[in-house]
């Protein structure tokens, strides 16, 4: 629910004010759930009922780091959707799973404008999108693993466009732009990620950089 952090620690570590749930694990450590805005929800239900009781728990889409995630699978998913590709990437019922930040990184790596309609993506764009999803998430996973930060620390400093409004694009030096889509920010390079439709959007590449 947008907020909340898991913390894995020893039981002697001081409890913070925002700790909502503490689970004692078999190995003596504790898994704590912290949520300073109290938006998170915890359900205690038999596994068999989880799908019915917990909103959004099921169905979960294809695991993008599994073998099932092929270009053909992505093509099938995007073909039947008319929503914006950025919205699609964050839909857990379709893909498991990308958040706001990685969706921006993926679209930048694929050179696709975030507002492009899914069913307007060309064969080449879907192939690029597939490659970008796999490479961006694999790289992120490897970096997070190497740094071995506590699980509540978001390792994000290696991201190339996310939260980098006004900074130069690593590829072409054009300034990174921010735009709103469905209440969430998009960060993208107007030059590397041109809007192909020519309708409805500002052609940022024509504006003064
Ligand atoms: Zn660029």
């Amino acid at each position: 629910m947008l907020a909340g952090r898991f913390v894995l620690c020893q039981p002697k570590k001081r409890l913070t004010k925002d700790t909502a749930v503490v689970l004692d694990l078999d190995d003596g450590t504790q898994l704590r759930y912290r949520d300073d805005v109290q938006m998170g929800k915890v359900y205690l239900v038999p596994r068999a009922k989880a799908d019915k009781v917990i909103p959004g728990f099921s169905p979960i889409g294809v695991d993008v780091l599994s073998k099932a995630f092929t270009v053909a699978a992505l093509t099938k998913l995007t073909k039947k959707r008319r929503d914006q590709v950025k919205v699609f990437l964050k839909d857990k019922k379709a893909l498991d799973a990308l958040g706001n930040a990685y969706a921006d990184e993926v679209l930048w790596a694929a050179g696709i404008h975030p507002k492009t309609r899914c069913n307007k993506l060309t064969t080449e764009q879907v192939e690029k999108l597939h490659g970008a999803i796999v490479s961006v998430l694999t790289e992120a996973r490897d970096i997070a693993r190497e740094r071995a930060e506590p699980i509540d620390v978001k390792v994000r400093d290696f991201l190339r466009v996310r939260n980098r409004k006004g900074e130069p694009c690593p590829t072409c030096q054009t300034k990174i732009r921010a735009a709103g889509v469905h209440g969430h920010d998009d960060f993208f390079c107007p030059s590397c990620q041109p809007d192909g439709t020519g309708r409805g959007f500002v052609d940022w590449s024509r504006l003064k950089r």
Side-chain angles (χ1 to χ4, degrees), residues 169 172 189 192:
C169 165
C172 72
C189 170
C192 294

Side-chain angles (χ1 to χ4, degrees), residues 108 169 171-174 189 191-192:
W108 176 78
C169 165
T171 304
C172 72
Q173 313 305 317
T174 304
C189 170
S191 175
C192 294

Side-chain angles (χ1 to χ4, degrees), residues 129-203:
L129 187 61
H130 177 269
I133 291 172
V134 174
S135 64
V136 165
L137 287 190
T138 303
E139 183 197 20
R141 182 192 61 190
D142 291 348
I143 290 173
R145 185 181 282 161
E146 194 184 307
R147 300 237 196 126
E149 295 275 8
I151 57 173
D152 57 319
V153 175
K154 279 189 182 178
V155 182
R156 288 281 167 85
D157 54 358
F158 62 91
L159 299 186
R160 283 151 183 132
V161 291
R162 184 69 197 170
N163 291 330
R164 295 197 186 277
K165 184 183 173 187
E167 293 181 32
C169 165
T171 304
C172 72
Q173 313 305 317
T174 304
K175 278 184 181 170
I176 300 297
R177 299 270 177 183
V181 174
H182 292 254
H184 290 281
D185 271 352
D186 273 347
F187 293 84
F188 65 102
C189 170
S191 175
C192 294
Q193 297 165 262
D195 157 34
T197 71
R199 285 180 288 112
F201 313 126
V202 177
D203 183 359

